[in-house]
Amino acid sequence: MDLIKNIEREHLRLDLPQFKAGDTVKVYLRIIEGEKERIQVFQGNVIRMRKGTTDSTFTVRKVSDGVGVERIIPTHSPFIERIEVITEGNVRRSRLYYLRNLRGKAARIKTKRTTAEA
């Protein structure tokens, strides 16, 4: 049992920033097509965080051309180049599935106010 934990600990990424549900993030993903490799940016709201060790994931939702697009991304994936936190959201829930039914301004998340802004 301890052997499995040691192997999982080796594959954890420690270079990722802290973020939570409600935050707007930019995820830079490494896409491999044939022999070519490129970086693709996926920017949206984090609507779900699934905790764990190497099997932890987070779901990012964005609206592209009027269609909602969600992507489940493994947190410790080697295909993640980097993650940037754009804004911190002020939400009271850990799962923001209700955003799927909202449109336009109603689907916005309030940003967290810091002491420097006040």
Side-chain angles (χ1 to χ4, degrees):
M1 189 68 172
D2 195 28
L3 180 66
I4 294 172
K5 287 184 180 179
N6 289 337
I7 293 171
E8 284 182 347
R9 196 175 300 123
E10 291 174 6
H11 293 287
L12 294 179
R13 293 189 56 164
L14 303 174
D15 60 338
L16 301 178
Q18 292 288 326
F19 59 95
K20 60 186 182 347
D23 294 351
T24 303
V25 295
K26 267 188 186 178
V27 183
Y28 293 83
L29 296 166
R30 201 172 316 123
I31 305 295
I32 300 170
E33 297 170 334
E35 295 183 12
K36 296 180 184 177
E37 184 176 315
R38 64 185 173 89
I39 303 294
Q40 184 179 48
V41 181
F42 194 85
Q43 179 176 345
N45 294 323
V46 178
I47 64 168
R48 175 180 187 246
M49 296 284 293
R50 182 170 170 266
K51 302 289 184 179
T53 52
T54 54
D55 60 341
S56 64
T57 61
F58 61 98
T59 304
V60 181
R61 177 181 174 81
K62 73 174 183 176
V63 178
S64 178
D65 293 326
V67 178
V69 179
E70 292 183 8
R71 185 157 185 177
I72 301 171
I73 303 169
T75 305
H76 302 286
S77 172
F79 292 108
I80 295 176
E81 187 71 26
R82 70 181 190 268
I83 298 175
E84 290 180 9
V85 178
I86 305 299
T87 59
E88 292 185 16
N90 187 16
V91 294
R92 298 175 69 177
R93 297 178 181 272
S94 61
R95 308 274 198 250
L96 305 178
Y97 296 140
Y98 65 89
L99 290 176
R100 294 173 178 164
N101 300 324
L102 300 178
R103 302 285 177 257
K105 281 188 175 182
R108 288 187 302 183
I109 297 175
K110 293 182 181 178
T111 58
K112 185 178 282 189
R113 296 188 68 183
T114 60
T115 56
E117 293 176 10

